[in-house]
Structures are given as C-alpha cells and as structure tokens.
Amino acid sequence: MDLSTTIAGVRFPSCFMNASGALCVTREELLALGRSRAGAIVTKSMTVEPRDGNPTPRYYAFPGGSINSMGLPNLGYRAYAALIPELKSFGKPVIASVAGLCEDDFPTIAAIINAAKPDLIEVNLSCPNIPGKPQIGYDAEASERLLKRVRKVITVPMGVKLPPYFDPAHHTAMGEVIGRCGVDFLNLINSVGNGLVVDPERETVVIKPKGGFGGLGGTIIKPVALANVRAFWKIFEGQISIIGTGGVVHGVDAFEHLLCGASAVQIGTVLVEEGVSVFGRLETELAAQLSKKGYAKLEDCRGKLKEL
Ligand code: RRO
C-alpha cells in the first residue's frame, strides 16, 4: 500500500520517520536513517556550538515508555549544515531541527541552516532538559517573538515542535500565535517534560541530570499526543499539516494519530529501542490496519475521528 504523504507541500515516500533526538545526532546515525525505510531524515536539534549534553545515565526505557534528559547533545549547526547535501542524496526529505540556548541563537542558526537548503526546518520550542531554561513553548509571547524572527530568515517550509498542552485555553493561545507567524506545519508533541521515574528496588531515580526529572516518551504519552494533534487539527480546520509524535509503537498507534489529523508520524522511544528496522515493521502494520478498515490511502482517514 502507498504510505507516502505530503507535509507543507513536500512529498515524503513514507509517513514514518525518526523523531528528533532518536538516533540522529552523528553523521553515522543520520546516514543509517538515510539507508533505512524512514520517510525522512530528521536531525537532532542543533545549537550554535557542539555539545556533549548532560551527564549520564540520561536515558532510561521501561515497559510503558522512556524518560530522557539528554541536554541537547549535538554536533553544532555548522556540522549539520555541511552534512545536509550528503543527507539529501538519499532522495527523501531532510528536516533540520533548530534549537538554541537563548533567543538570539535561533535566527543565527536558522539563517545558515536555511542556506544549506534542508527540505524543511523544524523550530524546537520545547526542550525540557536544559537546567534553568524553561520550555519556550509555554511562554506564548516569547514564542511569538522568536517565531517572527526565524520566519524572516527561513525560506523553506517552517514548522514548530511544541510541548504538550493540557488545557484548551493554552491550545487556543498558541493557535493564535501560530496563525500570526507564518508557520507551515506543526510537530506535536515533544516529550512530556519533567516527569520522574523511580526505581523502588534501588530506591533511586533512574537518570542523573536534574535530580532524575526528565521528558517522558512512548506509550504512556500517547493520549496526550493524540489530544494535542486533535486540538490543533480542529483549531486550524485541517489547513496546517501536522506531524504526530508520541506513543507510536505499533501501526495501530499511527492509525490513531492519522484519525486525529496527523499527516505523518515520528518515532522516538521505540526507534531507540528497536533500531531502524522499526520503520519496515510499522509500514507493514499500518498497511494491514488501513486495509482492514477499508482505507485505500492515508488521506482517506486523516482527521476522520468520530465523536459520540
Ligand atoms: O536533548 C534533549 O534533552 C531533548 C530535547 Br532538545 C527535546 O527537545 N526533547 C527531549 O525530550 N530531549
């Protein structure tokens, strides 16, 4: 079955791709994504200077998901800019994820990365793991200021990676910001920030940074991810492409994201756990689910969630 899709006018050969952060920091990891069945190559969120990230252990997987406090380990934007031509040779879209340690970093990075011509740029407003730096996406004014600055220097389709919101008032407020900033696509959601996983046997936290607090991913966050996809799909009446991220472990999870309004889905925790062979498995599972439900292609079910 054809599982290709389109995000902000760019065609993706498959609707499955890595979530930023999952197996996409080094050149070797990015090339492995290029050779895999992933429908795109998404880079790790980049900062101005290369970073080692937070002290280890900083990632921990458990039966329901994962917790991480990586702390933006990345090669620095100059290295990713230099890699983009090689990544584009795989014939699938390259999404550059732009972050920063302060507001001024974002336009600096965005301008140079844009000149390297990735197919799309994703602006990460939602890293939960830099000690002392709140998630920008929880500050509507700061988000608007930053998005207007980066929009001026970005000429490829621009998306925004948002943190999860837990109240319709926050969906509305960010929806209004997004509507004023020329955003071409949304990626929903980043990890559920500042969770705490406890090992009752050792009576300890499971990751070292920030006293054990970190971003949650995987199955346990799926309902939060689906709610955010659905809320923004409704706000924009299906007119802004949405990438659904959060809790996609099986093909049926991707189907649920599509029903809520996603056009593609990204894979974080289960990609780290299974490796790049996960993409082939997910394609098989989603194709089986779509056939079983009588859908011939992705668009036929997109946003079609029924209410009671
Ligand atoms: O590097 C990280 O700690 C990290 C980032 Br930038 C992010 O956006 N989301 C996340 O869960 N971890």
Side-chain angles (χ1 to χ4, degrees), residues 112-152:
I112 302 297
I113 281 293
N114 184 72
K117 289 274 168 282
D119 297 277
L120 309 95
I121 290 177
E122 176 175 292
V123 181
N124 184 357
L125 296 186
S126 45
C127 176
N129 299 330
I130 305 299
K133 302 214 182 279
Q135 293 160 80
I136 301 161
Y138 286 140
D139 179 338
E141 276 179 30
S143 296
E144 180 157 0
R145 219 170 37 237
L146 192 152
L147 287 174
K148 284 180 170 160
R149 287 182 68 187
V150 291
R151 180 72 276 187
K152 287 198 176 80

Side-chain angles (χ1 to χ4, degrees), residues 44-45 54 68-73 99 124 126-129 190-191 215:
K44 173 66 183 173
S45 293
N54 290 338
N68 88 82
S69 184
M70 306 304 289
L72 267 167
N124 184 357
S126 45
C127 176
N129 299 330
N190 207 319
S191 55

Side-chain angles (χ1 to χ4, degrees), residues 169-194:
H170 296 160
H171 291 125
T172 304
M174 275 312 285
E176 286 170 0
V177 167
I178 287 156
R180 290 193 289 266
C181 293
V183 173
D184 300 305
F185 70 97
L186 301 176
N187 187 339
L188 310 165
I189 56 175
N190 207 319
S191 55
V192 173
N194 297 291

Side-chain angles (χ1 to χ4, degrees), residues 28-224:
E28 291 66 32
E29 287 174 332
L30 291 162
L31 295 179
L33 289 168
R35 290 187 295 263
S36 79
R37 294 199 58 86
I41 305 173
V42 186
T43 73
K44 173 66 183 173
S45 293
M46 56 194 80
T47 51
V48 172
E49 299 305 330
R51 287 172 59 84
D52 291 334
N54 290 338
T56 58
R58 58 192 187 182
Y59 171 87
Y60 178 85
F62 51 97
S66 67
I67 184 168
N68 88 82
S69 184
M70 306 304 289
L72 267 167
N74 78 96
L75 305 177
Y77 76 101
R78 296 172 190 87
Y80 293 110
L83 272 170
I84 284 172
E86 185 178 14
L87 298 180
K88 282 178 74 173
S89 73
F90 288 99
K92 52 178 112 173
V94 173
I95 305 182
S97 175
V98 170
L101 297 179
C102 65
E103 203 172 302
D104 287 347
D105 289 352
F106 284 76
T108 303
I109 297 170
I112 302 297
I113 281 293
N114 184 72
K117 289 274 168 282
D119 297 277
L120 309 95
I121 290 177
E122 176 175 292
V123 181
N124 184 357
L125 296 186
S126 45
C127 176
N129 299 330
I130 305 299
K133 302 214 182 279
Q135 293 160 80
I136 301 161
Y138 286 140
D139 179 338
E141 276 179 30
S143 296
E144 180 157 0
R145 219 170 37 237
L146 192 152
L147 287 174
K148 284 180 170 160
R149 287 182 68 187
V150 291
R151 180 72 276 187
K152 287 198 176 80
V153 301
I154 293 176
T155 58
V156 301
M158 179 184 95
V160 54
K161 177 93 170 261
L162 293 174
Y165 300 103
F166 300 94
D167 192 287
H170 296 160
H171 291 125
T172 304
M174 275 312 285
E176 286 170 0
V177 167
I178 287 156
R180 290 193 289 266
C181 293
V183 173
D184 300 305
F185 70 97
L186 301 176
N187 187 339
L188 310 165
I189 56 175
N190 207 319
S191 55
V192 173
N194 297 291
L196 186 62
V197 173
V198 170
D199 181 338
E201 192 52 45
R202 294 163 62 216
E203 305 179 25
T204 62
V205 299
V206 298
I207 55 173
K208 184 177 176 77
K210 291 177 67 175
F213 287 70
L216 303 173
T219 299
I220 54 169
I221 74 162
K222 186 176 73 172
V224 177

